[in-house]
Structures are given as structure tokens and as C-alpha cells.
Amino acid sequence: MPLLEDPPVTAALPKVIEFFAGVGLARMGLEQAGFRVTWANDYEPDKYAMYTAHFRDEELGSEHTFDLGDVFAIDRTAVPRDAAIAWGSSPCTDLSLAGSRGGIRAGESNAFWGYIEALKQLGDDRPPVVVLENVVGLATSHGGDDLTAAIRAFNELGYSIDVLAIDARRFIPQSRPRLFLVGAQNPPVETTVPNPELRPDYLSWIYEDETLCTHRAELPTPPASLTTGLDAYIEPMPVADDRWWDANRTELFIKSLSPIQSERIAALRRATGVTYRTAYRRTRNGVATWEVRPDDIAGCLRTARGGSSKQAVVKVGNKRIQVRWMTPLEYARLMGAGDYNLEGARTNQALFAFGDAVAVPAVAWLGKHYLMPLATGTLGAADRQTAVV
């Protein structure tokens, strides 16, 4: 009788089902933390095209299914029932401070309830751990009512909720604060004073509301926020590259700066050596202006369907200034996905996809220090409780 082949190493890894997968940056972070994503869903064909081109699951024979379509219309009988974690990065359009602020039941952000319905349909086979990732605006949307509604929805499914605020700036030179709701059927009992680096004061009311089932896990302090490092993420480009704006457009850029910003750029221009900064175009009193960040990190990358949301690179020093739009590779690098396969992706397709995603290293840190110990029963294992709803 022939010997059985050894099973793949991945067979023992905890499985994840991923809602609102986008181009798979959450998957990248989770897999860095030791998980295996076996199922994903998103409704945007452009993101699906990038996802499949990068991960090549079908070509490589990976155990992975991508369900392309609206979260409300997925085949819920096909959602795997053996996952350790469900991850959902639901649309932030109506929750973001830069968006409509319509709330969790408005527009695209209403898709959160499709995530809840899908989990509900899994019944007793729901993963023991769930995650919701979204913008920090969720904490203040409708005076906190939207965050309360989200927590209560998870509570009704048997999950106690912990809420963390993590800025990608702790890992990469991009200002990108996000909320992470971590739900556990068997949450750890609190043993220490909660870490204010992860749970700032504006989240304290959540744990004081006795109508909500919450917990605060003991976690290590994350790395300090970066204040420098942008230059290492900028794509090298010759001075004569036609992606740099011409003299007239560059002069219009300079003229649009406020007096304070203009002097700041002038000082950098006089300096020896090259400095990089990022800039956004804003509308102030009906006039389009440019605002340049004063520090050596990027502003928060956003979806690039409108010109004002695109981020520009400013190269200044040695009496020269050059300006251009940020490239897809730079967006990928600033999301912690510098090795992402961009072949075949259109520029705006890539910019939108990365601007609408979660930073890989933030997910990897959360996965390593919280989700993996929680999923494997080693987080607070000596003293655990069952979520009471």
C-alpha cells in the first residue's frame, strides 16, 4: 500500500473568510500573520481583476473561492463553515469625514448589514472570531449611534466586541487611522489597564455602556508613529520623465499655495539635497488650492475617482521643484504592498483600489498580536469568559 503524501503545510493554518476583499490587502496581512484565506467576496470587477492577477489562486490550484457580487446576493450556502475568523472591511463612503456622513444605513456603507446577514446565516458554524475594519469616523457617525448599532449587531450574534484605533503610520510613512472591531465568542477576561495607545479616550464610552457586550484584551504597545521615511517609498524617476508636470503647471501649483506653505517650500527649495513631500488639491472659498504636508510622511491615500482626492509628489531642493501625480507603485508601497502585481492594471484602477483598502502591516500586527492568539485560544487562556448577550 503506497504511503500517503504529507499534507500541505497550509492545511494546519487557521482559515479566514473575507468580505469586501477589494484587492486583497487584508488577505496579505492575515497571511503574514499565519492565517489562510479560503474565501473572499467583493462586488467590483476592477478589484476582482487585480485580486486574481496578484494571487493567481486558480492557476496555482489554491484552495480559495472568490464570490464576485453584491454581499446581499452571495450564495450563502457556499460560504465556508470551517473558518476561524471572518474579516470584513465594509465600505466607508458614508462614514468617512471626507464622505457624505449618511451613516451605516446609507448608501454603500449599508453593505455592513449584508455582512451581518451572511454571518447570521452560518448559524452555529459562525467563526469564533469576527473583525470589522472601517474609518475612525464610524466612532462619531450620528453621535456614536452607528458604532453602537454595529456593536449591538455583533452582540446579537454572540460576539463580545473590542474596539481598537490603529494608524498605519505606526508601520509605514502614511497617516491612515482606522478602527478595528474585534468580536469574540469566548473573549479574554481583562487583567490589566487597557492600552490607551490602542483605545484612545474617544472610545471610552463604548466600554461604559452596560447595554453593550464588550471586552478589552491585553495587548502589547504598538510601534511609535513614524515621522520620517517617505523618500524610501518614492519611485525613482529621471528629471526629464514626462510624468513631471511642465513649467506652467508647476508655476500654477506654486501660486496656489498659502503664504505659509509657499515660504516652507521656498526654504526647502533653497536647501542642499532633495526632499519629498506629498500634496492634496483642496477647494477653499470656491478656489482650488494645493496644500503640502509639512512632514516627511504621506497624507491618507484616498479613492481617486475625483481629481481632488489624488495625491501628488513634490520633489524639492537644490533650487529646483518638480511636481507630479503619485504612481500606482507608490500607492502600493505606502499600503505595505510594494510587491503587488500591477501588471495590466490601469492607473486610476490601481489608485482607487489602494486608496480604498486597509494597510497590510496594520492587519499583520493585529493578526499576530490579537487575532492569532484569540483564534488559537492562547490569548488570556488562563481565564476566559463566554460572551453574554
Side-chain angles (χ1 to χ4, degrees), residues 67-289:
D67 190 331
L68 177 64
D70 192 299
V71 68
F72 289 102
I74 60 175
D75 180 2
R76 294 191 175 122
T77 64
V79 179
R81 294 174 175 267
D82 59 349
I85 290 180
W87 180 284
S89 293
S90 62
C92 66
T93 313
D94 304 278
L95 299 167
S96 171
L97 297 176
S100 70
R101 297 292 274 175
I104 202 169
R105 296 186 184 277
E108 293 184 351
S109 293
N110 185 59
F112 164 77
W113 300 102
Y115 180 31
I116 292 297
E117 284 300 315
L119 292 173
K120 186 180 296 184
Q121 289 294 317
L122 291 175
D124 292 339
D125 294 323
R126 282 192 287 274
V129 178
V130 295
V131 180
L132 174 70
E133 178 267 332
N134 213 291
V135 293
V136 294
L138 174 59
T140 57
S141 179
H142 288 175
D145 288 348
D146 284 338
L147 179 53
T148 298
I151 294 173
R152 207 177 302 283
F154 284 120
N155 286 171
E156 291 173 356
L157 295 179
Y159 297 101
S160 172
I161 295 295
D162 195 359
V163 184
L164 313 175
I166 303 177
D167 194 335
R169 184 175 176 173
R170 296 183 180 277
F171 313 97
I172 48 180
Q174 181 203 166
S175 174
R176 195 177 189 82
R178 290 295 184 267
L179 282 189
F180 296 86
L181 278 64
V182 179
Q185 292 177 341
N186 297 293
V189 173
E190 295 178 22
T191 58
T192 61
V193 176
N195 192 325
E197 292 284 331
L198 297 168
R199 303 177 187 89
D201 289 343
Y202 70 82
L203 295 175
S204 62
W205 62 270
I206 298 164
Y207 303 97
E208 297 166 359
D209 187 337
E210 295 183 355
T211 70
L212 301 176
C213 182
T214 60
H215 66 277
R216 285 171 287 195
E218 182 179 358
L219 299 170
T221 300
S225 294
L226 298 176
T227 57
T228 61
L230 177 65
D231 59 335
Y233 290 71
I234 298 299
E235 184 177 355
M237 199 168 294
V239 171
D241 194 292
D242 60 10
R243 283 172 289 185
W244 292 112
W245 296 348
D246 62 26
N248 289 336
R249 190 174 185 182
T250 302
E251 187 61 27
L252 289 174
F253 170 88
I254 295 171
K255 287 181 177 179
S256 80
L257 299 176
S258 69
I260 292 177
Q261 293 207 6
S262 182
E263 175 53 37
R264 184 184 299 141
I265 289 297
L268 291 172
R269 194 172 182 176
R270 291 191 297 267
T272 301
V274 171
T275 298
Y276 288 98
R277 292 288 186 266
T278 60
Y280 276 118
R281 188 169 56 196
R282 307 288 195 192
T283 300
R284 303 297 187 194
N285 299 319
V287 179
T289 63

Side-chain angles (χ1 to χ4, degrees), residues 314-383:
V314 183
K315 179 182 179 183
V316 59
N318 297 327
K319 300 181 180 180
R320 178 191 292 271
I321 180 171
Q322 289 186 285
V323 187
R324 61 170 172 78
W325 293 118
M326 191 174 283
T327 68
L329 177 59
E330 288 163 345
Y331 265 58
R333 287 174 174 175
L334 286 166
M335 293 298 289
D339 60 348
Y340 201 93
N341 177 19
L342 295 170
E343 185 177 352
R346 304 183 310 277
T347 295
N348 281 346
Q349 175 188 9
L351 298 185
F352 178 86
F354 289 121
D356 200 31
V358 57
V360 174
V363 177
W365 187 91
L366 186 72
K368 176 182 177 181
H369 296 287
Y370 198 160
L371 304 182
M372 184 60 76
L374 193 58
T376 56
T378 58
L379 182 65
D383 189 6

Side-chain angles (χ1 to χ4, degrees), residues 16-19 21 27 31 36-42 48 51-52 55-58 61-68 74-75 77-80:
V16 179
I17 54 177
E18 183 186 14
F19 294 81
R27 174 178 174 176
E31 290 183 347
R36 180 160 58 110
V37 177
T38 60
W39 180 93
N41 159 255
D42 201 278
Y48 169 73
Y51 188 109
T52 54
F55 292 104
R56 301 165 54 212
D57 290 304
E58 184 174 346
S62 302
E63 181 195 348
H64 185 278
T65 300
F66 195 111
D67 190 331
L68 177 64
I74 60 175
D75 180 2
T77 64
V79 179

